[in-house]
Amino acid sequence: MAKRCEICGKDPKTGNQVSHSHILTKRRWMPNIQRVRAEVNGSVKRIQVCTRCLKAGKVKRAI
């Protein structure tokens, strides 16, 4: 299952974790992806959406 928002395309970002002694190790920042039932083109589907899109109202949730 991909960690990608189906509305805005937000996906994991990579970078370095920096310790106090400045030793760098790789790490990932994961988006907060929720699996929701939403109306897409008039039909109800399960899609993966980030919480920013949910909060902004970009998704019409199905009841």
Side-chain angles (χ1 to χ4, degrees):
M1 182 186 308
K3 280 278 199 173
R4 179 183 292 265
C5 176
E6 294 184 27
I7 303 299
C8 66
K10 183 184 281 191
D11 56 353
K13 302 298 177 196
T14 59
N16 288 319
Q17 180 174 334
V18 184
S19 70
H20 180 69
S21 61
H22 207 73
I23 296 173
L24 304 178
T25 55
K26 292 291 187 183
R27 64 158 291 181
R28 294 177 85 193
W29 284 270
M30 299 297 236
N32 190 355
I33 301 291
Q34 305 293 319
R35 192 164 182 237
V36 297
R37 290 180 66 223
E39 284 187 28
V40 179
N41 298 328
S43 63
V44 177
K45 287 179 63 178
R46 283 195 185 273
I47 59 174
Q48 294 182 347
V49 183
C50 68
T51 52
R52 182 179 286 185
C53 290
L54 282 174
K55 188 175 180 180
K58 295 180 181 178
V59 179
K60 174 111 166 77
R61 295 189 72 160
I63 299 174

